[in-house]
Amino acid sequence: MHGVWSSRWTFILAATGSAVGLGNIWKFPYITGENGGGAFVLVYLVCIALVGIPIMMAEVLIGRRARMSPINAMKYAADEAALPHAWAAIGWMGVLAGLMIISFYSVVAGWAIQYIFTAASGTFTGITGESAGGVFANFLQSKGTLLLWHSLFMVMTLGVVAAGVTRGLGAVARVLMPVLFVMLALLLVYAVIKGNFSAGFAFLFDFKFDKLTWSGVLKALGHAFFTLSLGMGAIMAYGAYMPAQGSLAKTVITVGVLDTVVALVAGLAIFPIVFAAPGLEPSAGPGLMFISLPVAFGGMPFGVLFGALFFVLVTIAAWSSAVSLIEPGVAWLIESGKFSRATATSLLSGVAWLGGVACIYSNNWLEDKPGGVFSFVFESLDFLTSQVMLPLGGLLIALFVGWFMRRAIVQSELDAEEHPLFDIWLFVVRWLSPLLVIIVLIAGLVEKFQ
Ligand code: PFF
């Protein structure tokens, strides 16, 4: 049993801190670009609404009920439902997925740290799309620098988790999340004035279904899980700190909507810049944000300051997400009674640090992609987590809550005894989300490997 956040808003901010991160600002735009835009975005939005948010409610509900780490929370919930402890596998897989994600997440957060300095040095002033691509490609060659920033970011993450996520983080999130949001909005204004806004807008919202493949649909589904920090226990671990009173459904919907708005604003800011600058392509891959935004910062008044500040905020957004990636494992180690919080955190951060080193030094950059910056390890970790483990974890959580948890317990946790929407939600969690996940998972994987 542990401490509780001071209020519902603190939970919203912390959960938003976990959800809003590189997934929204870096990953969403580039995978949208790689998958042809509009139709991909639509599938992503449908996945958020029909799969992500309903399953997020299920995940928070288990965490809040059990008030333990995901592994033990699943054991507790399994006991309550007279089911075997094998259900704790959801928690185990989540701990593993968290470590796998943070391995590459931390490396990309390191790119953002480097870009604080690159922006502050004035490198971007008047820069073209092509030279921005060159700056980024050069940077990726200096492995030592990548390693330095990855290491620093892991230490930052370790610091917060070691201090305990209920302390400090709430306050940080409360101030900085809104600031990040304002900066994104300003970038959007710039994109409207100076970018090719109509082309960017059309790219995001013109639904051309001929571009869409099953593996694209799986990417959209996987990203819905990734961006909401779902399917691996991160949100369950935070749910364990959530106050017992207050509407769980409203809280979760707030977080889901905020997260989606940030991703869309990031896309609306980035693509008009991409379409206005010669030498930039929407399909540029993982470097998209790091080559398109410099062009914008380089062309605006106070761009040096604004650019540096922007990357500071991206780093902080990544930081508050990274914390939630190792919290499930740390919480479990502490509950085992054998480790202090500091030791548990150091141990898991050490493992994650090694994973990042493997990403940086597994040298075979995938040559076949223009601007391909992912190493084999990088790409495999990303694929296995987003497109296999998180959807699978989410599926199991939905099945568990939908089919096996006692209805009375679920209703009282949701505070929904009389609520007309309860039955609709239950139907979604029992049938609709699981079926969608199963179909997309199978069809996507078959297409990818055939
Ligand atoms: N949701 C985070 C983002 O969009 O950047 C990434 C993430 C955090 C994924 C925590 C999974 C997780 F458990």
Side-chain angles (χ1 to χ4, degrees):
M1 297 289 276
H2 39 72
V4 171
W5 308 95
S6 48
S7 72
R8 186 171 91 97
W9 269 99
T10 315
F11 174 83
I12 293 187
L13 284 165
T16 312
S18 166
V20 174
L22 295 171
N24 308 62
I25 305 167
W26 162 70
K27 199 174 182 191
F28 171 73
Y30 99 72
I31 56 175
T32 299
E34 281 185 340
N35 289 281
F40 179 84
V41 174
L42 183 65
V43 174
Y44 161 78
L45 292 175
V46 169
C47 289
I48 293 277
L50 293 186
V51 181
I53 290 178
I55 293 186
M56 197 169 182
M57 287 167 62
E59 200 173 322
V60 176
L61 183 154
I62 300 175
R64 186 169 83 167
R65 170 115 196 125
R67 297 227 182 276
M68 288 181 242
S69 71
I71 293 176
N72 288 327
M74 283 313 304
K75 286 188 187 153
Y76 177 96
D79 281 341
E80 265 194 344
L83 288 170
H85 279 183
W87 281 94
I90 297 176
W92 285 107
M93 187 168 69
V95 169
L96 187 65
L99 289 176
M100 289 165 72
I101 294 174
I102 200 172
S103 299
F104 69 85
Y105 203 83
S106 169
V107 176
V108 178
W111 300 352
I113 300 180
Q114 170 62 45
Y115 266 54
I116 300 171
F117 299 101
T118 316
S121 71
T123 308
F124 300 149
T125 309
I127 205 168
T128 62
E130 249 145 287
S131 355
V135 170
F136 184 64
N138 271 341
F139 161 55
L140 289 182
Q141 298 304 316
S142 37
K143 307 268 157 156
T145 318
L146 295 173
L147 180 63
L148 175 72
W149 297 134
H150 159 57
S151 307
L152 174 71
F153 186 79
M154 279 312 309
V155 171
M156 286 160 57
T157 305
L158 185 157
V160 173
V161 181
V165 292
T166 44
R167 268 192 258 158
L169 188 69
V172 175
R174 194 187 298 262
V175 181
L176 293 171
M177 283 290 130
V179 180
L180 175 67
F181 196 71
V182 170
M183 301 236 6
L184 273 175
L186 287 176
L187 260 181
L188 176 59
V189 172
Y190 175 85
V192 172
I193 299 172
K194 286 285 195 83
N196 186 345
F197 191 74
S198 57
F201 190 90
F203 182 75
L204 278 173
F205 298 112
D206 255 358
F207 306 129
K208 295 202 191 68
F209 281 95
D210 49 319
K211 293 238 177 77
L212 206 61
T213 58
W214 275 111
S215 63
V217 175
L218 176 56
K219 279 186 196 145
L221 175 78
H223 188 63
F225 281 99
F226 185 90
T227 193
L228 294 176
S229 307
L230 225 54
M232 56 144 287
I235 282 298
M236 198 188 288
Y238 276 13
Y241 300 106
M242 188 182 177
Q245 68 283 17
S247 161
L248 193 152
K250 271 192 211 139
T251 307
V252 164
I253 292 171
T254 310
V255 174
V257 169
L258 284 175
D259 184 81
T260 308
V261 170
V262 172
L264 292 178
V265 172
L268 278 174
I270 286 178
F271 285 110
I273 294 163
V274 170
F275 286 109
L280 294 184
E281 291 289 333
S283 59
L288 184 68
M289 167 183 129
F290 293 89
I291 56 179
S292 57
L293 292 187
V295 175
F297 297 135
M300 65 173 66
F302 305 108
V304 171
L305 187 69
F306 194 77
L309 203 60
F310 178 81
F311 284 109
V312 168
L313 290 164
V314 171
T315 305
I316 292 169
W319 193 12
S320 59
S321 300
V323 164
S324 69
L325 283 163
I326 44 175
E327 174 64 18
V330 168
W332 177 73
L333 285 178
I334 297 171
E335 281 166 7
S336 75
K338 298 193 189 79
F339 299 87
S340 68
R341 185 164 262 277
T343 319
T345 311
S346 311
L347 216 66
L348 293 187
S349 304
V351 174
W353 180 79
L354 285 176
V357 172
C359 288
I360 294 173
Y361 286 97
S362 63
N363 229 338
N364 46 345
W365 304 111
L366 299 173
E367 303 283 343
D368 55 327
K369 285 193 187 163
V373 289
F374 269 10
S375 69
F376 177 70
V377 175
F378 216 136
E379 191 129 294
S380 307
L381 289 175
D382 179 37
F383 166 73
L384 284 173
T385 51
S386 288
Q387 292 177 56
V388 182
M389 294 163 89
L390 303 188
L392 201 60
L395 170 66
L396 292 172
I397 288 167
L399 292 176
F400 184 85
V401 172
W403 292 92
F404 301 115
M405 257 181 126
R406 288 218 319 271
R407 189 185 165 101
I409 292 180
V410 175
Q411 264 183 336
S412 82
E413 282 299 326
L414 286 179
D415 226 352
E417 277 85 355
E418 311 280 297
H419 208 290
L421 289 179
F422 178 79
D423 284 320
I424 298 180
W425 171 81
L426 194 62
F427 171 80
V428 171
V429 168
R430 271 194 171 177
W431 293 102
L432 193 62
S433 317
L435 280 174
L436 283 177
V437 174
I438 290 172
I439 293 169
V440 173
L441 204 53
I442 293 175
L445 291 178
V446 165
E447 188 180 86
K448 183 173 168 88
F449 289 111
Q450 78 190 350

